[in-house]
Amino acid sequence: MSQATARLGGHLVADALVSQGVSLAFGVPGESYLSVLDGLYRHADFRFIVTRHEGGAAFMADAYAKLTGKPGVCLVTRGPGATNAAIGIHTAQQDSTPLVLLVGQVGQDVVEREAFQEIDYRRMFGSMAKWVAQIDQAERVPEMVAHAFQLATSGRPGPVVLALPEDMLAASATVADARPHQPLQASPSAAQLSQLTSLLHAARQPIIIVGGSGWSRQACADLRLFAEAWQLPVACAFRFQDLFDNQHPLYTGDVGIGINPRLAERLRQADLVLCLGARLGEMTSSGYSLFDIPIPRQQLVHVHAGVEELGRVYQAALMINAGMAEMAGALRLIPCRHAGYAAGAAAARADYEAWQGIPPIYQGRQARLDLWQVVMEARQQLPADTLVCNGAGNFASWAHRFWRYGSQERGRCQLAPTSGAMGYGLPAGVMASIVAPERTVLVFAGDGDFLMNGQELATALQYGGAPIVLLFNNGQYGTIRMHQEKHFPGRVYGTQLHNPDFARYAESFGALGLVVETTAQFGPALSQALAHRQQTGKPALIELRMDAADLAPGLRLAG
Ligand SMILES: Cc1ncc(C[n+]2csc(CCOP(=O)(O)OP(=O)(O)O)c2C)c(N)n1
Ligand SMILES: [Mg+2]
């Protein structure tokens, strides 16, 4: 766009997005930012995916950033639009996802009167976002939008919120566009790498935990080459299971909810834990039990893109502030003169394979609908690089424990929220199948989880997205029922659900809806869903009418 002529504030915002390399955004329109929409209207190549709820849009923006490595952008109206979108900001914070939320704001002439839909975004998003700012002058749009993207993508990535007052959007300014942002990461120093090399040589039972954001395909390949050279077992952090190929003999399982007890023990017994990119939060430390606080018994090497994460809970023996591409590239070049770990890696892999065998609830019992066999069948029929999406609930454990995630070396294979946000899987899957139509996208959903954003099936049909949804219907918020049974046995309260006919619900949007009640019905249903997707380019939903007593792979209600 011309820099010499005056532009409307809203047009400047649209042009600033384009200057920052954005070609696709998600949102729900509002009268508070009409001139931004009008600004985007001038960019024929820009895609604005309109969703049915701002929570869906914000989840899509988060998942888009995870899938593409580019910042996700979400546009919402003030007040109710912003409050609906908040779940995506929290999710992006916990997942360290670069996300820019643009939100309408009341005019500066009425601010602080609790005007219509007015919210103080700095206070609302202050603890969730890396930066919350308001652009008060149209002249400053290029500068502040560029800064938003710079911040969202550099160091520990995360969400940034920009409020757009109505009078600023309606004003005009003559100002030049900014340059595209330049995501910045620190690199490990030579001294840190040599200290790490010494620790690796001295170790007898080392293990890697890999997680967090910022992993490029090349970084994942470099990590694999490093692990192969040193024969190091690799575990993936909760909901980052695609950072290392699960079929690889060095892969040993995930460190999250429902961790394999043998892997937890291996981490406790390890003498060196190399934690690459994961935050070592509650999920990756088994509730802060795997490592002593503040000084772990193991030699802990913690590498993270955010300097403020290092030493936050654990005083690691060696802390390295570096981006994942920078770190993995350096690791790959460390020469290995050590060949003593191979047996440890093989034993760790054997533990993983045993953990993926028939789970306790199906041992010695013929179940009507065996969810373990459902996942095994899906593994048979679907490509290795299937993109698996999920929200939160016990149903997700069937994916996390038994699916073998492909490696991000060929593109992301998992989109899931560390925050445990219900309702994430469907919008993520819809987004992925729109943005990467060549990929097979499988959404694991619970009956509770699914209906938090089930309306985004409409978005799939509107934009040609075609995920396949596996809906685990147990007629309850099963996870909470499980905790109830553990803490208040037999006192079921507030956890039962009366559900719609999910297959007909899906059909009403124009998707294929199928019902599976027995193990034998699943294989043909999945084949039908795949063929339908192939022939029509439309989504399919398979409702698994599961036994409500099957609370988790290792827990079944008696009686
Ligand atoms: C947005 C949100 N609300 C509430 C919760 C608390 N919660 C965690 S799991 C769960 C139940 C999930 O039910 P469902 O999707 O049916 O899965 P199930 O546990 O039955 O497999 C709830 C309510 C949450 N994690 N996220
Ligand atoms: Mg349920």
Side-chain angles (χ1 to χ4, degrees):
M1 290 292 145
S2 159
Q3 299 174 4
T5 51
R7 286 178 279 179
L8 262 185
H11 288 194
L12 282 166
V13 172
D15 295 351
L17 290 178
V18 173
S19 307
Q20 294 310 315
V22 181
S23 57
L24 191 151
F26 306 88
V28 175
E31 69 275 30
S32 63
Y33 69 96
L34 281 177
S35 62
V36 179
L37 293 173
D38 189 67
L40 293 173
Y41 181 82
R42 292 146 57 251
H43 293 279
D45 295 342
F46 197 95
R47 287 182 91 192
F48 182 46
I49 307 280
V50 178
T51 67
R52 301 311 178 102
H53 189 289
E54 290 84 353
F59 277 155
M60 285 189 199
D62 174 88
Y64 173 83
K66 285 180 183 142
L67 178 66
T68 64
K70 297 186 224 161
V73 176
C74 183
L75 280 79
V76 299
T77 200
R78 56 202 202 181
T83 46
N84 270 352
I87 193 167
I89 302 304
H90 180 246
T91 301
Q93 178 195 26
Q94 295 235 303
D95 273 329
S96 307
T97 309
L99 191 157
V100 176
L101 176 73
L102 298 174
V103 53
Q105 177 61 302
V106 302
Q108 295 164 87
D109 49 340
V110 298
V111 76
E112 291 293 345
R113 289 183 183 163
E114 197 189 320
F116 182 57
Q117 301 180 330
E118 183 180 352
I119 293 181
D120 179 340
Y121 299 117
R122 291 191 180 91
R123 274 189 285 159
M124 176 183 170
F125 289 114
S127 68
M128 282 189 263
K130 285 184 78 174
W131 187 47
V132 187
Q134 181 163 310
I135 311 182
D136 289 330
Q137 290 148 333
E139 292 77 20
R140 297 194 62 191
V141 167
E143 169 207 334
M144 291 180 79
V145 172
H147 185 46
F149 281 84
Q150 189 66 37
L151 266 180
T153 56
S154 294
R156 178 186 171 192
V160 168
V161 179
L162 283 180
L164 310 172
E166 221 168 79
D167 48 349
M168 180 282 287
L169 292 178
S172 293
T174 304
V175 58
D177 288 326
R179 277 191 180 144
H181 61 286
Q182 302 163 43
L184 285 179
Q185 296 297 342
S187 295
S189 71
Q192 287 168 330
L193 289 170
S194 101
Q195 202 183 333
L196 173 59
T197 309
S198 308
L199 287 169
L200 280 165
H201 278 119
R204 303 183 65 85
Q205 287 178 279
I207 186 164
I208 294 175
I209 301 176
V210 58
S213 73
W215 288 90
S216 60
R217 294 181 185 203
Q218 183 61 48
C220 288
D222 288 342
L223 167 69
R224 176 176 52 74
L225 291 169
F226 166 67
E228 284 172 353
W230 290 80
Q231 283 298 298
L232 293 163
V234 179
C236 287
F238 184 56
R239 296 190 168 157
F240 289 99
Q241 285 167 267
D242 63 344
L243 295 179
F244 201 84
D245 184 356
N246 292 188
Q247 299 282 14
H248 196 286
L250 290 172
Y251 180 71
T252 71
D254 68 308
V255 186
I257 296 177
I259 188 176
N260 178 353
R262 301 198 58 137
L263 175 57
E265 193 49 29
R266 189 168 296 280
L267 286 162
R268 283 195 189 92
Q269 297 305 323
D271 55 358
L272 176 68
V273 176
L274 178 51
C275 179
L276 300 172
R279 266 194 61 241
L280 287 177
E282 194 173 349
M283 291 298 136
T284 34
S285 63
S286 292
Y288 301 104
S289 73
L290 288 179
F291 312 103
D292 293 344
I293 299 173
I295 305 176
R297 192 193 47 74
Q298 306 89 330
Q299 296 271 35
L300 176 65
V301 178
H302 194 190
V303 184
H304 202 276
V307 73
E308 62 288 338
E309 273 311 306
L310 297 164
R312 181 175 188 148
V313 183
Y314 303 105
Q315 292 180 304
L318 174 61
M319 305 183 204
I320 303 179
N321 178 213
M324 294 309 109
E326 289 74 7
M327 188 67 204
L331 286 175
R332 183 188 161 178
L333 300 178
I334 300 179
C336 174
R337 289 177 301 278
H338 188 304
Y341 311 143
R349 178 70 187 180
D351 287 348
Y352 168 67
E353 292 188 358
W355 179 242
Q356 282 203 323
I358 301 175
I361 60 166
Y362 297 136
Q363 281 166 16
R365 186 173 73 90
Q366 184 86 30
R368 171 180 55 80
L369 179 56
D370 180 326
L371 299 171
W372 180 74
Q373 288 195 41
V374 163
V375 181
M376 294 304 125
E377 178 68 29
R379 263 169 52 175
Q380 285 282 323
Q381 285 199 33
L382 298 174
D385 71 345
T386 296
L387 187 44
V388 177
C389 310
N390 63 268
N394 272 11
F395 66 87
S397 59
W398 295 101
H400 296 340
R401 177 161 164 188
F402 299 108
W403 182 261
R404 287 198 176 167
Y405 291 86
S407 160
Q408 205 198 317
E409 280 183 54
R410 292 192 301 276
R412 292 243 31 186
C413 293
Q414 183 180 33
L415 299 174
T418 310
S419 66
M422 288 172 71
Y424 184 90
L426 184 68
V430 169
M431 178 286 303
S433 57
I434 293 170
V435 170
E438 71 286 358
R439 301 284 303 273
T440 301
V441 178
L442 185 66
V443 175
F444 279 65
D447 48 338
D449 166 83
F450 177 79
L451 274 190
M452 286 211 173
N453 276 317
Q455 76 284 348
E456 299 306 341
L457 273 178
T459 311
L461 271 294
Q462 185 166 342
Y463 295 98
I468 294 173
V469 180
L470 292 189
L471 196 152
F472 291 65
N473 185 3
N474 54 7
Q476 59 189 351
Y477 288 130
T479 313
I480 314 305
R481 170 87 191 273
M482 173 183 78
H483 291 299
Q484 241 161 19
E485 292 293 342
K486 283 182 184 166
H487 297 279
F488 305 98
R491 294 164 72 86
V492 181
Y493 191 82
T495 48
Q496 300 303 290
L497 296 173
H498 177 80
N499 281 321
D501 180 333
F502 285 110
R504 283 179 58 200
Y505 176 87
E507 300 269 354
S508 76
F509 288 91
L512 174 70
L514 300 171
V515 176
V516 162
E517 293 186 289
T518 65
T519 311
Q521 288 169 351
F522 179 70
L526 184 57
S527 307
Q528 193 185 339
L530 286 165
H532 176 81
R533 182 178 140 272
Q534 189 75 24
Q535 286 153 15
T536 67
K538 290 185 177 166
L541 179 147
I542 302 173
E543 178 194 346
L544 302 168
R545 290 206 179 140
M546 57 181 280
D547 184 342
D550 293 343
L551 287 177
L555 185 65
R556 182 173 155 77
L557 284 175

